[in-house]
Each structure stands twice: as C-alpha cells, then as structure tokens.
Amino acid sequence: MTLMEKARNGKTDTIMEEVARQEGVEVEFIRKGLAEGTIVIPYNTRHKNLKPKAIGEGLTTKINANIGTSEDYSDIEVELEKLRVAINNGADAVMDLSTGFRITETRKAIIKNSSVPVGTVPIYQVAVETLQAGKAIVEMTVEDIFNVIIEQAEDGVDFITVHCGLTRAGIEHLKREGRITGITSRGGSFLTAWMKHNNRENPLYEYFDRLLEIAYQYNLTLSLGDGLRPGCLADATDRGQIHELLVLGELVDRAREAGVQTMVEGPGHVPFNQIKTNIKIEKELCKGAPFYVLGPLVTDISPGYDHITAAIGGTMAATAGADFLCYVTPAEHLGLPTVEDVKEGVIASKIAAHAADVARGNPLALARDKEMARARKNLDWESQIKLSLAPEKARKARKERNTRERDVCAMCGQYCALKIAEEALN
Amino acid sequence: MTLMEKARNGKTDTIMEEVARQEGVEVEFIRKGLAEGTIVIPYNTRHKNLKPKAIGEGLTTKINANIGTSEDYSDIEVELEKLRVAINNGADAVMDLSTGFRITETRKAIIKNSSVPVGTVPIYQVAVETLQAGKAIVEMTVEDIFNVIIEQAEDGVDFITVHCGLTRAGIEHLKREGRITGITSRGGSFLTAWMKHNNRENPLYEYFDRLLEIAYQYNLTLSLGDGLRPGCLADATDRGQIHELLVLGELVDRAREAGVQTMVEGPGHVPFNQIKTNIKIEKELCKGAPFYVLGPLVTDISPGYDHITAAIGGTMAATAGADFLCYVTPAEHLGLPTVEDVKEGVIASKIAAHAADVARGNPLALARDKEMARARKNLDWESQIKLSLAPEKARKARKERNTRERDVCAMCGQYCALKIAEEALN
C-alpha cells in the first residue's frame, strides 16, 4: 500500500508521526494532506536509514540540493562529500543528476549514504547508456526508459523527475510563440528530440498508466517535470510553459486516482513580478499539488552569483505558496558545482526557505528569529552563532574581526547602539 | 540656488541632462521630479569630479555602500580600497561612516577619490570628538552638532543622514509597546541618550529650520534617518517606527517648502510579507519622497550571509517602490566589513536593484537580460561574461571548470539541452 492509500484509509504510521513531530503539527494534519495530495512524503522502503521529510501545504518550506557527476567530473567520492555538505547545511533532499561514468554505482553510493530523500531524473541514465551503447539519444526505446525507472526504484530512489506533461501539442505552442532560449531542461530536450525523430508522442505521457503502476508498486513519488521551463526571463510564463502545466494538472488527477504521491515542478527563470502568478496558477491547475520550483532566478545576468538570484526568487515563490525549493549554486550557467558551491547554494536556499516560513507565519520559524533577536540584544555571541543558519562562517568572521575580544563588535565598538540605548530607555 | 529651486523655476542644467542620459528619460522628467521632490540628485558643488546620480520615482534603483573606519580598524588606505571596489562593482553612492581615528582626514580622502555621491552621518563625528575631548557622548552641544554639519558640507559631502524625526513622543510610543532589540541605529541611540540626559527635545528636530538653512546654502541633500528602525523581525512596523515616519513626513513638507532636497530612510529588519506595506506607508506619509532602505533583512538568523538576506528584502522593497538600497555585507552583525565583504555586499545589492528594475519594467534592465539570454542561447561565453554583473567571478569559474575548452559547459557537456533542443525545434 502506498502512503497515500494508507492515509486515505484513515491510517497513520510512524512515518507520518515522525514528520508531524518535525513540523510541530498533529499527525492528522499530515494524514489529511497525504490523502488529499497536498502533502507528499518521498519514501522508498528500499532506501535504508531514511529520515522522512514531508513537503506541502501548511508545512515548512523544504529545499533540495542537486549533486551528481558529469562527463568532465566523475568522482564518486567528491559527490559523497557534496552529499555530506548538503545535508550538514540543511538540505531536506538531494537529487543525483549524474551523467558521468559509473552512473549506477554513483546512485547506489548516494542512496546508501543519504539520510534525506534521494531523487533522480531517470532519463539521464537512459541517455547516457544509449550513447554508451554507440547509439544516438533519440534511439532510446520505450522499454529502455521503463527498465531504468524500475532499476532506480529497486535501488531505493525516493522520487523521480518525469517530464510527462511535455507533449507534441505543447511543443507546437512553444514553436508558434517563439522563444529566445528554446528548451533548457535536459530531460525536455531529450524527449523533444526523441518525439521529432520517432514521430511519436512523449512515451512518459503516452504510457503514463504504466508509470503509475511502477510508482504504486514502489511507493515512488512522482515529480512531474517541466521540460518547457523558461531558460530566460523573456521566455517566462509563455504558452509552452503553461500548456505543459495544464497537462501536468490532468496527470496529477490521474496519479491521485491511482494512489500515487505526486508533486509538480516549476521554473526556472521568472521576473520577480511574475513569480506569484506562477505559483497561483500551479496551485489552481494542479489542485494544490506540492510545487517544486528551481530558483526561480529573477535575473539572467548574474552568473557566479545565481545562488543569490535564486534565493530572491525562492523567497517570493515560497511566500506565495511554493513548497519545495531546488537550490541553485554559484556555478549555475558556468559548470558543475564544486563542494564549496554546494555549500553556498544550500545556505542561500535555506535562507530563502526560512524567510518564507517567517513570512507565512510558521511558529517554529518565528520563534527562532525571536531567540536570535534576544541573543543579539544581550550581546550573547555564543548563542548568536549557535542560532545562525551557518554557524561556521559566523564564528570565523566574529573571531577574525574581534581581535580585542570585547562584548561589542568591531563595527561599532564603544558606539554600540544596543548598549547606549539600553541605558537611555530604562 | 538649490537644484530643487532651479527645477521649480522651470530650469534645467547639465547635471539634470547628465542623469537623464544615464536613465534614458527626458530631461523634463528629471526636472519635474526634482521640482516635486520625488527625485533627488545629491550634489555638492564642493565635491570635485562628481558624476551625478539621480534617485527616485521612475528611475533605476540605486545602491549605496557604507564604508569607513572604526575604533578597531582605522586605516585610510583600506577605506580607499573599499571605495574603489564599491564603485568598480556598481555602487551608485557611498557613505563614510567612520568612527575611527583621523575622521576628518578620512572623509576628505574619500570625497577626493569618489566619483559617486558621498554621504555621512555627522553625529558620528560629533560623538567621536566629544569622547576625544574627554566628555561623555550625552555632553555634546547643539553647537557641536551644527558646526560638524557645516564642516562636512564645506568638505563637499553630498548627502547627510540626520535623525530629525526621532522625538520624545516617538520614544514614549516605543517604550509603551516594548521591543526586543530597543534601538539599533547608532545616531538614534546617541540622540535618545542625549534627550534623556539633557531632558530636552532632539535638537535636529527642534532646530530643523537651522538645518534647512545650512542644507539650502550647500545644496546638501537631507536623508532623514530612522533612529527607531527595527533591529529584529519581531520589532518591525511597530508604533515607534511608524511614529517617527509620520514626523519625517511632516519634515519632508517643510524641507520642500525651503527648496531643500530630501529623502527618507527606512528599515532594517522586516519580515518579507511586511515589506510592501512599509514602502507604501512611506510613499503615502512622505508624499512620494525617495525612500532609502537598509536591506531590508528578511530574517535575523543569517549572520555571515546577511548580504543575501538583504538582497531578498531589497528586491521586494525596490519592486514595491523603494528607490535607493543600502547594501548589507556578509560582515553585518559580526564586525567591520573587509574589502572582500564590501565587494560581495555591492554585488548582492546590485542583483537586488537590477531584479527590481526588471520587475518594474525598466526598459534598460529588460534589454540587458534579453541580450544575456541571446548570448546564452548562442553559447557565446565571452558575451555572457561581459554582460554579467560580476564578470570577474564568472570568468574565473568558467575557466576553472571548463578544462576541456568546449563550447558547452562542464555541467551538461554533450547533454547540453540548448544544443539538443535547437536541432529538435527546427
């Protein structure tokens, strides 16, 4: 039985209890959300030592860190280090997006070492193995795709990105309107090329029922990918993107009917003033399915600093109702992230998630900021460091600059407003 | 004649022409904004080699970088390096907030070397010199304050922060409601202590007409400071803060009557969901006076990363109508920023300003993102680097990771979606 089915049968279990504790909500709230599909808990029982995390309406905002090898950087140990750094800095989930050598071995190692849910994009493996077999990507077969999905589910993957809503009709809308950056989703580009070459519909759409059967069997959470997500601000919220979302909404209905947990993926590059609309339209078209957004990036011109750009968009998105933020690292648009990039990306995303939780009035989030405010007022530096989202950096900066070891800081020194005002106000 | 008076007399000059060129607007638009007080151009003719910048309604968002010494770090050369780094990375103005040794010498050196408007908080110098004279800060005299303001105007300072709206009545509102962090504005704390000790009203409020006379004489732009700005999220938008803003609105009226350019300063620490309200209430109470905000910081718990926290708040603020963003560096709440901190702070703030300009539909901002999108689509790396807000970092990351010198990047390699889709869509 899937978690969704169990919840619909009015049953709770230790997984639901655990996430209820994390969130400070009643387990019934979790059960109801799971039953209605507004909450998902990516959880594959084959993934050992997994600490469950819930994503969705009424919960704290979760963040995901993409890791994984590429052709040019294909070291499993480095990816495991990224995994550790991501989790230590607060990632709620990771995705293994490997396209390098030893792709299966990499995935197994990541799942084995991850205490948080692990997601993948199975079509990457299909593409890599098709090329390795000396064929072109467009020559992958429908069987290849489903075989890899089953293989990954067997390995213990908790959620998979599947671009099921990318259809021939959607591509026609995109082509008629025109775009600057075309398609920037890798999965989206593979499938588009496949559809054109084979003159067939997207197999993940055509055989969606088969996908649902597999997902049901493994309690796999489907993350319905946005193959036509905009790759620049000018392409945002266009007809190709919205057509795909409309199809995804229909697929959410079908997945729910089949008792399969489902979330929906969203952009991407979106001007700040269009983010709220993007969230609201997803929530409407997909009937409250958890929304998993990449960034969004609020400008195209900050390579090297896209973790900041994404944190800006992510805060707006989550405040407006997005449930799950995919981090972006400083390496975005430039290359595969390093371990350090992963760390900076996670922290930036965590700031966005927390700021949004505060804006949404989450009691746990509000309490933490209040505690920090009190520590600050009391010039209690040890508590300030402990309460911070990135204690390591805060401690280092405090230590390096506070050479005279005073209770004030090296910016204001004896002109510390808090101290001066304390006396004056009493 | 001040720029405001000139504009009211229907006259334009080379300063107005220059900023109109920068903004891509008609000079008449600038003249009208100056005359009405919705635009300011901080410009002291004693500041040689100053490139004018306009701040206000209908213009691109400007950013300010705070530099200056402290007791613990008092090296003029380091501050001049911060100035260079700030300007090179896009700061539209700097404020010299020095409280270290040789305060006058530092200011003169900064003004001499700055091509952008320079602001100060004169009461810092008064406090430092009062302590140096062996007295307590609360023993500063009204004459001391006005003498320093005149001295700084003579030196060529373009705008000064003066906490004129902080009154005894405001402090009573603050005390009755209660606050966690009390007062975090240094100027605000000095004046509050002074008022209590001397049992008198804030001299910058009481003798506001005298201040206006000086400002008029030197075409000094007044930046009406918010001495009661919140120091944590829990204190945001409280009665102390709003009372001060209400008084500032009245003072804006008086300044405009006197032909003195005026902007208004705002918070500070503000939950993301309260930022828009803060901007709208300022625009109402202060009749469209340019709004200069610090951050705002959307969470209290990210010391070490407050440049990101401020970029999130700054984007929201500027999108909602704030005109001028004061940067925050990674060193905020920890110590005096280093040169590297200044750089990171300026870039983060620049991202916020630009993202907001895009959201507000500024044609110059939109065009730049479109150009980047085209360069990205064409895998034109040199143009991507040139168009980026921080070319240096983008170039370094691209070079370091792209060891095989390919036209694609080291993340996707041969799986580049742009390339694959390009063929499939044509």
Side-chain angles (χ1 to χ4, degrees):
Chain A
M1 211 183 331
T2 64
L3 273 173
M4 190 176 201
E5 260 192 316
K6 195 183 276 182
R8 283 194 185 152
N9 293 340
K11 295 201 179 89
T12 60
D13 64 7
T14 53
I15 297 172
M16 299 181 211
E17 283 163 11
E18 163 63 22
V19 299
R21 256 195 307 277
Q22 288 170 25
E23 303 282 342
V25 299
E26 299 293 321
V27 66
E28 172 57 18
F29 181 83
I30 301 293
R31 191 207 58 77
K32 193 162 171 280
L34 279 171
E36 290 171 356
T38 57
I39 290 176
V40 296
I41 303 178
Y43 196 97
N44 185 335
T45 47
R46 284 165 178 80
H47 180 179
K48 300 300 169 200
N49 304 314
L50 171 62
K51 198 179 152 153
K53 294 272 184 172
I55 298 161
E57 211 173 291
L59 307 178
T60 54
T61 307
K62 303 302 181 299
I63 67 162
N64 173 75
N66 288 339
I67 60 173
T69 61
S70 73
E71 285 178 275
D72 291 355
Y73 295 94
S74 212
D75 184 331
I76 295 180
E77 281 311 311
V78 172
E79 298 312 315
L80 292 180
E81 180 60 18
K82 289 181 190 172
L83 173 68
R84 276 187 289 274
V85 162
I87 295 174
N88 287 345
N89 284 285
D92 300 293
V94 297
M95 289 189 78
D96 170 21
L97 302 189
S98 291
T99 55
F101 307 110
R102 301 190 294 165
I103 198 166
T104 299
E105 204 182 327
T106 309
R107 179 177 57 254
K108 285 180 194 238
I110 287 173
I111 293 170
K112 191 178 165 197
N113 288 282
S114 178
S115 58
V116 299
V118 175
T120 58
V121 188
I123 205 154
Y124 290 3
Q125 182 181 344
V126 187
V128 168
E129 290 178 347
T130 303
L131 285 181
Q132 280 171 351
K135 290 183 282 186
I137 289 177
V138 291
E139 295 178 277
M140 63 170 70
T141 68
V142 178
E143 285 314 303
D144 291 339
I145 296 173
F146 283 102
N147 286 340
V148 163
I149 292 172
I150 291 167
E151 179 192 332
Q152 297 198 355
E154 287 279 349
D155 285 347
V157 163
D158 302 290
F159 63 103
I160 56 170
T161 292
V162 270
H163 302 90
C164 307
L166 172 58
T167 62
R168 289 162 72 100
I171 292 166
E172 287 312 310
H173 282 292
L174 180 143
K175 284 164 83 168
R176 278 199 296 273
E177 185 167 6
R179 265 192 172 186
I180 295 181
T181 49
I183 297 176
T184 50
S185 152
R186 272 183 287 184
S189 74
F190 298 164
L191 289 166
T192 302
W194 191 93
M195 288 189 268
K196 185 175 180 186
H197 178 83
N198 298 288
N199 199 24
R200 287 179 63 181
E201 187 50 276
N202 174 359
L204 292 169
Y205 176 75
E206 195 172 351
Y207 306 108
F208 189 65
D209 286 331
R210 188 167 166 193
L211 182 63
L212 290 178
E213 278 168 35
I214 299 168
Y216 180 85
Q217 191 183 341
Y218 293 91
N219 185 36
L220 203 54
T221 297
L222 297 184
S223 187
L224 299 176
D226 53 337
L228 298 186
R229 69 165 180 269
C232 67
L233 297 189
D235 292 346
T237 329
D238 71 354
R239 293 172 198 149
Q241 181 200 324
I242 300 302
H243 182 276
E244 185 176 18
L245 188 62
L246 195 150
V247 176
L248 293 180
E250 293 174 347
L251 299 180
V252 165
D253 281 355
R254 287 168 62 186
R256 286 178 178 177
E257 220 164 291
V260 168
Q261 297 195 85
T262 315
M263 52 187 169
V264 171
E265 297 186 12
H269 292 246
V270 187
F272 190 74
N273 58 313
Q274 290 180 25
I275 292 176
K276 194 172 174 181
T277 302
N278 269 270
I279 308 304
K280 299 298 176 198
I281 190 76
E282 186 275 346
K283 290 288 176 182
E284 282 300 321
L285 291 177
C286 303
K287 300 186 182 161
F291 199 23
Y292 175 25
V293 297
L294 174 55
L297 298 169
V298 295
T299 171
D300 300 331
I301 65 166
S302 59
Y305 290 88
D306 276 334
H307 60 310
I308 295 181
T309 310
I312 295 169
T315 305
M316 183 71 213
T319 299
D323 307 282
F324 193 23
L325 304 178
C326 186
Y327 87 162
V328 171
T329 79
E332 188 73 17
H333 299 113
L334 295 167
L336 196 75
T338 61
V339 173
E340 183 61 23
D341 289 328
V342 168
K343 182 181 162 195
E344 295 299 305
V346 168
I347 291 169
S349 191
K350 201 76 192 166
I351 290 172
H354 178 76
D357 287 343
V358 165
R360 287 168 12 174
N362 182 282
L364 298 176
L366 292 170
R368 186 161 168 190
D369 280 70
K370 251 189 196 167
E371 216 179 327
M372 175 62 100
R374 285 191 202 99
R376 207 161 257 161
K377 174 59 167 39
N378 298 331
L379 301 172
D380 172 356
W381 292 93
E382 197 48 40
S383 297
Q384 286 179 58
I385 288 164
K386 278 187 187 148
L387 285 164
S388 78
L389 281 171
E392 201 184 310
K393 190 173 178 192
R395 185 180 300 281
K396 188 163 171 277
R398 165 75 182 154
K399 203 176 163 193
E400 278 175 7
R401 295 299 266 179
N402 183 34
T403 45
R404 288 165 64 191
E405 296 186 11
R406 299 196 291 174
D407 65 338
V408 292
C409 89
M411 181 185 263
C412 300
Q414 64 183 321
Y415 305 103
C416 176
L418 291 170
K419 285 186 104 163
I420 293 169
E422 169 73 5
E423 280 172 44
L425 290 176
N426 288 317
Chain B
M1 208 183 335
T2 64
L3 274 172
M4 189 178 202
E5 260 192 313
K6 195 183 275 182
R8 282 194 183 150
N9 293 340
K11 295 200 179 88
T12 60
D13 64 9
T14 54
I15 297 172
M16 299 181 211
E17 283 163 12
E18 163 64 22
V19 299
R21 256 195 307 276
Q22 287 169 25
E23 303 283 341
V25 298
E26 299 292 321
V27 66
E28 173 56 18
F29 181 83
I30 302 292
R31 191 205 58 76
K32 192 161 169 282
L34 280 172
E36 290 172 358
T38 57
I39 290 175
V40 296
I41 303 177
Y43 196 98
N44 184 335
T45 47
R46 284 166 179 79
H47 180 179
K48 299 300 170 201
N49 305 315
L50 170 63
K51 198 179 155 161
K53 293 272 184 171
I55 299 162
E57 211 173 292
L59 307 178
T60 54
T61 307
K62 304 302 182 300
I63 67 163
N64 173 75
N66 288 338
I67 59 173
T69 60
S70 72
E71 284 178 275
D72 292 355
Y73 295 94
S74 213
D75 184 330
I76 295 179
E77 281 312 312
V78 172
E79 298 312 316
L80 291 180
E81 180 59 20
K82 289 182 190 171
L83 173 69
R84 276 188 289 273
V85 163
I87 295 173
N88 287 345
N89 284 284
D92 300 293
V94 297
M95 288 189 80
D96 169 23
L97 302 189
S98 291
T99 55
F101 307 110
R102 302 191 294 167
I103 198 167
T104 299
E105 205 182 326
T106 309
R107 178 176 59 255
K108 285 182 191 223
I110 288 173
I111 293 170
K112 191 180 163 195
N113 288 283
S114 178
S115 59
V116 299
V118 175
T120 58
V121 189
I123 206 156
Y124 291 1
Q125 182 181 345
V126 186
V128 168
E129 290 179 348
T130 302
L131 285 180
Q132 280 170 351
K135 291 184 281 185
I137 289 177
V138 291
E139 295 178 277
M140 64 171 69
T141 68
V142 176
E143 285 313 303
D144 291 339
I145 297 173
F146 283 102
N147 285 341
V148 163
I149 292 172
I150 291 167
E151 180 193 331
Q152 297 198 353
E154 289 278 349
D155 285 347
V157 162
D158 302 291
F159 62 104
I160 56 170
T161 293
V162 270
H163 303 90
C164 306
L166 172 58
T167 62
R168 288 162 72 101
I171 291 166
E172 285 314 309
H173 283 291
L174 179 145
K175 284 164 82 169
R176 278 199 297 275
E177 185 167 4
R179 264 191 173 186
I180 294 181
T181 48
I183 298 176
T184 49
S185 153
R186 274 182 286 185
S189 73
F190 299 164
L191 288 166
T192 302
W194 191 93
M195 286 189 268
K196 185 176 181 187
H197 178 83
N198 297 288
N199 198 24
R200 286 178 63 182
E201 188 49 277
N202 174 0
L204 292 169
Y205 176 75
E206 194 173 352
Y207 306 108
F208 189 65
D209 286 331
R210 189 168 165 192
L211 182 63
L212 290 178
E213 278 168 35
I214 299 168
Y216 180 85
Q217 191 184 340
Y218 293 92
N219 186 35
L220 203 54
T221 297
L222 297 184
S223 186
L224 299 175
D226 53 337
L228 298 186
R229 69 166 180 269
C232 67
L233 298 188
D235 292 346
T237 328
D238 71 354
R239 294 170 198 151
Q241 181 199 324
I242 301 302
H243 182 276
E244 185 176 17
L245 189 61
L246 195 151
V247 176
L248 292 181
E250 293 175 348
L251 298 180
V252 166
D253 281 354
R254 287 169 62 188
R256 286 178 177 177
E257 219 164 289
V260 168
Q261 298 195 87
T262 315
M263 52 188 168
V264 171
E265 296 185 12
H269 292 245
V270 186
F272 190 73
N273 58 314
Q274 290 180 25
I275 292 176
K276 195 172 174 181
T277 303
N278 269 270
I279 308 304
K280 298 299 175 198
I281 190 75
E282 187 274 347
K283 290 289 177 182
E284 283 300 321
L285 290 177
C286 303
K287 299 186 181 160
F291 199 21
Y292 175 26
V293 297
L294 174 55
L297 299 169
V298 294
T299 171
D300 299 331
I301 64 166
S302 59
Y305 290 88
D306 277 334
H307 59 309
I308 296 181
T309 310
I312 295 169
T315 305
M316 183 71 213
T319 299
D323 308 282
F324 193 23
L325 304 178
C326 186
Y327 86 163
V328 171
T329 79
E332 188 73 18
H333 299 113
L334 294 166
L336 196 77
T338 61
V339 172
E340 183 61 24
D341 290 328
V342 167
K343 183 181 160 193
E344 295 299 305
V346 168
I347 291 168
S349 190
K350 202 77 193 166
I351 290 172
H354 178 76
D357 287 343
V358 165
R360 289 169 9 175
N362 182 283
L364 297 177
L366 292 170
R368 187 161 168 188
D369 280 70
K370 250 189 196 168
E371 216 180 326
M372 175 64 99
R374 286 192 201 99
R376 207 161 258 160
K377 174 60 167 40
N378 297 331
L379 300 172
D380 172 354
W381 293 92
E382 197 49 39
S383 296
Q384 286 180 58
I385 288 164
K386 278 188 189 146
L387 285 164
S388 78
L389 282 171
E392 203 185 309
K393 190 173 177 191
R395 185 181 300 282
K396 189 164 172 276
R398 165 73 183 156
K399 203 178 164 192
E400 276 174 9
R401 295 299 265 178
N402 184 35
T403 45
R404 287 164 64 190
E405 296 186 11
R406 298 196 291 174
D407 65 339
V408 291
C409 89
M411 180 184 266
C412 300
Q414 65 183 319
Y415 306 102
C416 176
L418 290 170
K419 283 186 104 163
I420 293 169
E422 169 73 6
E423 279 171 44
L425 290 176
N426 287 317

